[in-house]
Amino acid sequence: MPDWIFFETKEPLWPSQASGRPQRERLRGSRHFCRRMAEGSPPPAAGNAGCRPTLMPNPSKSDPAGPAKPPLRVLLADDHDGMRRSLRRMLEADRRLLVCAEAKNGEEAVRQAAETRPDVAVLDLSMPLLSGVEAARLIRTTLPETRIVIVTLHPLPEGPTTDAEGLDVHAWVSKQEAAEQLVLAVLGVAGQLPE
C-alpha cells in the first residue's frame, strides 16, 4: 500500500475550512488525513464527496540513485588576484566543487587550511612567504586527508613528485591548461571521477 495518499477535493473536508481558521490549521488537518489513509483507516464520512485520490511519493524514501554528495571543499591559493578569481570561476562552474577559502600567500594558505579543513588544496607553486610545495608539506602534516593540487606557469615535472618529507603532491596542473584540466585534477585526486 502506498505510504501517502493525497486527496484533491472540491468541498471542505473539515468544518474548520468553512469557519475561516488560519491556513496552517487546514494544512495540518490535510497531513493528518493523508497519514490516516496511508495506515488504512477509513476517510471521514462527512465532506467526502468529490474526492479523487492521487498517489504521492513518500518524501522519506531515498532516491534510487542515492543521496546527493555534498560538494568537495576546495582551498584556493594564488598571489595574483586576477588569476585567483579566474581559477575560482573554473572550479565553481562545476557543482561538485565549492571554494571554501582563498589565500594570497603560502602562510595564509596554511592558516586557512587549518580553519576550514578543505578536501583539496589548490596551491600556486610560486607564492610569497611559502611556496606551494612548502605550504603543502605543512597542510598535510596537520591534515593528512587533504589532497594537494599544484598549479604553475612553469614546466610540469616528470612523473610523481614527492617533497623532502615524503608527502606527495597529488597532481600538477599547468595554468595554461587549467580551463581543461583543473576541475578534472581536483575531482581525480579526491576520487570523484568515474573509473
Side-chain angles (χ1 to χ4, degrees):
M1 180 168 182
D3 297 291
W4 290 86
I5 297 178
F6 175 77
F7 276 86
E8 298 172 358
T9 88
K10 297 178 182 176
E11 300 176 18
L13 289 179
W14 289 274
S16 63
Q17 291 186 359
S19 64
R21 295 180 74 179
Q23 178 72 18
R24 65 177 178 273
E25 294 295 326
R26 295 202 295 274
L27 291 174
R28 188 179 301 143
S30 297
R31 285 196 292 271
H32 176 68
F33 177 66
C34 293
R35 280 199 301 272
R36 286 178 54 193
M37 289 301 298
E39 293 164 5
S41 301
N48 194 9
C51 293
R52 183 173 76 252
T54 306
L55 299 184
M56 302 293 285
N58 182 348
S60 67
K61 288 198 171 180
S62 60
D63 186 336
K69 292 182 179 179
L72 286 172
R73 302 173 72 254
V74 180
L75 164 66
L76 176 59
D78 195 295
D79 56 317
H80 295 286
D81 292 342
M83 177 60 70
R84 196 172 60 254
R85 284 194 297 270
S86 178
L87 294 174
R88 180 169 191 149
R89 280 195 299 270
M90 293 176 197
L91 292 166
E92 292 194 331
D94 192 302
R95 293 184 179 182
R96 294 169 290 183
L97 304 177
L98 172 68
V99 176
C100 64
E102 293 185 21
K104 295 181 179 181
N105 59 62
E107 285 186 356
E108 187 179 359
V110 174
R111 186 169 60 252
Q112 290 282 6
E115 292 175 4
T116 61
R117 305 183 70 84
D119 300 302
V120 179
V122 176
L123 308 173
D124 183 20
L125 177 62
S126 301
M127 290 189 291
L129 304 182
L130 292 173
S131 73
V133 172
E134 291 168 332
R137 180 186 305 121
L138 294 174
I139 290 170
R140 293 265 297 162
T141 299
T142 56
L143 300 170
E145 298 302 315
T146 297
R147 314 303 279 175
I148 305 295
V149 176
I150 296 289
V151 291
T152 180
L153 287 171
H154 303 291
L156 299 182
E158 296 287 336
T161 301
T162 304
D163 66 23
E165 297 296 324
L167 302 175
D168 291 333
V169 171
H170 301 97
W172 293 76
V173 175
S174 167
K175 289 184 179 179
Q176 291 94 330
E177 299 177 354
E180 296 82 21
Q181 299 297 325
L182 182 58
V183 168
L184 292 176
V186 171
L187 293 172
V189 299
Q192 296 280 337
L193 288 178
E195 295 181 2

